[in-house]
Amino acid sequence: AAPEDHRNPDTLSQLMTLPEMCEELGITENTAYYWRQTGKGPKGARIGKNLRYRRADVAAWVDKQFANA
């Protein structure tokens, strides 16, 4: 029998690419890479060779920026 697939199909649809995340925040990719290197931006993860961001993590990061303003 094939192993069960426990992934939530909504999980993958909630992932954003680097350009998508940059467009949402109105920043350049260079800024996003700088934030990633310095630990200042939203949490991202490499999936294979691709950098992905969860929409929930980006939204939480934006909320935190306003809370700290």
Side-chain angles (χ1 to χ4, degrees):
E4 280 187 60
D5 187 349
H6 294 286
R7 291 177 299 178
N8 180 344
D10 292 332
T11 300
L12 294 179
S13 69
Q14 294 299 313
L15 295 177
M16 291 191 288
T17 63
L18 178 68
E20 290 170 337
M21 190 271 300
C22 290
E23 185 175 332
E24 285 235 352
L25 296 181
I27 62 170
T28 67
E29 290 186 22
N30 283 342
T31 296
Y33 283 123
Y34 175 75
W35 285 354
R36 185 165 164 76
Q37 289 175 344
T38 58
K40 294 181 181 179
K43 184 168 59 170
R46 288 234 175 251
I47 299 177
K49 64 179 182 175
N50 302 303
L51 186 56
R52 295 290 185 259
Y53 294 87
R54 290 187 295 200
R55 289 187 185 281
D57 290 339
V58 174
W61 180 82
V62 169
D63 289 343
K64 185 177 176 186
Q65 302 316 296
F66 279 95
N68 293 337

